């Protein structure tokens, strides 16, 4: 029984740490889509954030500066999407793909000199009072600041979105821009802020992956996490409170993949490596069917985006 409990807790906290970059992107993209804008470029923003954060941490020796630089890089690239969509009226799907490709190319080109570098990490809760907590201390000890900050973002974003007047206008912009205009506000301001916030969170997610989780930079290291996160926004029903269980789908699948390999399960490791994508994709398909049946959850502004994309 003790062995089973230990293995279960190990898997749970490994899933939480693995899910953190995805959770950050889900939160940011949910806020973006709540304003009626979808941004498929979060994968490119993640990559540019990861490369920038790692490069700054490597040059300065300060991982926190790397995290801040990654956030700025994510915002800067998201502004390309904002200019194309809000300024030029471009198709949101096409613009997002362009941002994705741009971020992938920039990170690959400018990140080449930093491949193989070593950096200092952000540290963890080991050697604090947390590690002395009976039973849970050994599992909570490896938790890092990016995990805590991302978890803290859930209630903060939820309170802002559902308990403030600005949050109400943010949501009304995603439902109908006419409502926001009738209230005397410019919906473009909210959509611009929403895209920038999505860029900040995806840049932060890149830093969590490169500066904190792996302390390494490799071209294409996000491996589709940003695109998975866009799909998980649907699973989370555009609700920050549901973002954690949705992101844990990816994290638990990735942790299970590693556990199965360590247990020597006789399945190809290449096939096991598809688990973090197959399981969330299966849940997304089931969730989407439920969404179509209920007709609820999706901001009305997004329906217009998808209808125009057909």
């Amino acid at each position: 029984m003790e062995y089973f409990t230990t293995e279960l807790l190990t898997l749970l906290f490994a899933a939480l740490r693995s899910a953190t970059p995805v959770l950050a992107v889900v939160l940011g993209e949910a806020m973006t889509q709540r304003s009626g804008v979808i941004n498929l470029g979060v994968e490119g923003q993640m990559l540019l954030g990861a490369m920038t954060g790692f490069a700054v941490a490597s040059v300065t020796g300060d991982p926190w500066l790397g995290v801040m630089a990654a956030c700025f890089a994510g915002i800067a690239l998201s502004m390309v999407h904002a200019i194309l969509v809000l300024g030029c009226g471009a198709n949101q799907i096409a613009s997002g793909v362009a941002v994705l490709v741009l971020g992938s190319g920039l990170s690959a080109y400018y990140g080449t000199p930093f491949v193989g570098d070593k950096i200092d990490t952000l540290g963890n809760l080991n050697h604090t009072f947390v590690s002395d907590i009976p039973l849970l201390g050994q599992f909570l000890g490896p938790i890092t600041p990016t995990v805590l900050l991302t978890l803290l973002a859930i209630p903060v974003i939820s309170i802002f979105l559902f308990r403030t007047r600005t949050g109400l206008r943010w949501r009304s912009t995603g439902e109908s821009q006419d409502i926001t205009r009738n209230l005397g506000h410019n919906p473009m301001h909210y959509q611009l802020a929403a895209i920038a916030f999505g860029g900040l969170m995806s840049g932060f997610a890149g830093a969590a992956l490169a500066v904190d989780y792996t302390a390494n930079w490799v071209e294409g290291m996000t491996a589709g996490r940003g695109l998975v996160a866009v799909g998980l926004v649907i699973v989370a029903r555009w609700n920050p409170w549901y973002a954690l269980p949705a992101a844990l789908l990816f994290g638990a699948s990735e942790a299970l993949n590693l556990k199965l390999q360590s247990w020597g399960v006789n399945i190809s490791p290449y096939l096991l490596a598809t688990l973090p994508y197959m399981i969330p994709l299966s849940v997304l398909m089931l969730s989407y069917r439920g969404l179509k049946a209920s007709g609820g959850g999706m901001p009305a502004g997004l329906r217009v985006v998808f209808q125009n994309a057909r």
Side-chain angles (χ1 to χ4, degrees), residues 274-308:
T274 64
L275 278 179
Y277 304 93
M278 291 299 294
I279 293 178
L281 181 62
S282 302
V283 175
L284 171 62
M285 292 172 64
L286 294 173
S287 177
Y288 189 71
R289 290 189 62 179
L291 182 68
K292 286 185 68 176
S294 65
M298 178 184 287
L302 280 184
R303 296 181 191 278
V304 178
V305 174
F306 290 123
Q307 287 168 358
N308 291 338

Side-chain angles (χ1 to χ4, degrees), residues 175-239:
E175 296 298 332
S176 170
Q177 295 188 25
D178 290 337
I179 295 176
T180 308
R181 289 194 189 93
N182 291 337
L183 291 172
H185 301 281
N186 188 339
M188 188 177 292
H189 294 167
Y190 293 95
Q191 291 183 324
L192 180 62
I195 294 172
F197 183 75
L200 184 149
M201 293 301 287
S202 53
F204 176 81
L209 189 63
V211 180
D212 189 19
Y213 188 38
T214 65
N216 190 20
W217 160 252
V218 178
E219 179 184 341
M221 68 183 301
T222 55
R225 285 176 172 83
L227 292 174
V228 170
V230 174
L232 290 176
V233 172
I234 298 174
V235 178
R237 292 290 193 271
W238 297 271
N239 189 327

Side-chain angles (χ1 to χ4, degrees), residues 3-309:
Y3 173 79
F4 176 76
T5 303
T6 301
E7 286 294 311
L8 184 63
L9 288 174
T10 302
L11 185 65
L12 176 63
F13 284 99
L16 177 61
R17 193 173 180 196
S18 178
T20 295
V22 175
L23 174 59
V25 180
V26 171
L27 290 170
E29 181 62 14
M31 289 293 284
T32 304
Q33 294 190 16
R34 275 287 187 173
S35 75
V37 178
I38 185 170
N39 185 4
L40 297 181
V42 289
E43 177 82 14
Q45 294 166 192
M46 250 187 111
L47 276 170
L48 191 63
M51 186 280 296
T52 305
F54 186 85
V56 171
S58 176
V59 171
T60 66
D62 188 339
W64 282 109
L65 278 181
V67 173
M68 288 189 283
C71 293
F72 281 117
I75 293 173
L77 188 56
S78 71
M79 287 301 98
V80 175
H81 187 59
I83 292 170
L84 289 173
V85 171
L86 303 181
C88 304
N91 180 282
Q92 295 185 18
I93 306 298
S95 173
V97 173
V99 170
L100 189 160
V101 174
L102 180 61
S104 301
L106 288 174
S107 62
Y109 181 77
Y110 289 106
T112 301
F114 300 99
V115 174
D117 277 8
K118 302 293 182 185
I119 62 170
D120 294 329
T121 60
L122 298 173
N124 53 40
L125 298 179
N126 276 327
H127 309 299
T128 67
F129 73 94
V130 173
S131 60
D132 296 329
I133 298 175
L135 183 60
L136 291 178
Q138 60 178 314
F139 304 104
L140 292 173
I143 296 294
T144 60
T146 58
V147 177
L148 298 177
L149 288 172
T150 308
L151 291 176
L152 181 63
I154 295 174
V156 172
I157 291 174
S158 299
I159 291 171
F160 168 79
L161 197 60
F162 299 117
R163 293 287 184 269
T164 67
R165 290 186 178 182
T166 305
L168 176 62
R169 290 193 286 268
W170 191 297
R171 286 184 286 133
S172 70
T173 300
E175 296 298 332
S176 170
Q177 295 188 25
D178 290 337
I179 295 176
T180 308
R181 289 194 189 93
N182 291 337
L183 291 172
H185 301 281
N186 188 339
M188 188 177 292
H189 294 167
Y190 293 95
Q191 291 183 324
L192 180 62
I195 294 172
F197 183 75
L200 184 149
M201 293 301 287
S202 53
F204 176 81
L209 189 63
V211 180
D212 189 19
Y213 188 38
T214 65
N216 190 20
W217 160 252
V218 178
E219 179 184 341
M221 68 183 301
T222 55
R225 285 176 172 83
L227 292 174
V228 170
V230 174
L232 290 176
V233 172
I234 298 174
V235 178
R237 292 290 193 271
W238 297 271
N239 189 327
W241 289 114
Y242 299 153
L244 179 59
L248 279 175
L249 277 175
F250 180 89
S253 304
E254 191 168 64
L256 181 62
N257 162 37
L258 298 176
K259 270 293 177 187
L260 289 175
Q261 291 189 45
S262 69
W263 289 338
V265 174
N266 189 24
I267 300 176
S268 166
Y270 298 104
L271 192 59
L272 289 175
T274 64
L275 278 179
Y277 304 93
M278 291 299 294
I279 293 178
L281 181 62
S282 302
V283 175
L284 171 62
M285 292 172 64
L286 294 173
S287 177
Y288 189 71
R289 290 189 62 179
L291 182 68
K292 286 185 68 176
S294 65
M298 178 184 287
L302 280 184
R303 296 181 191 278
V304 178
V305 174
F306 290 123
Q307 287 168 358
N308 291 338

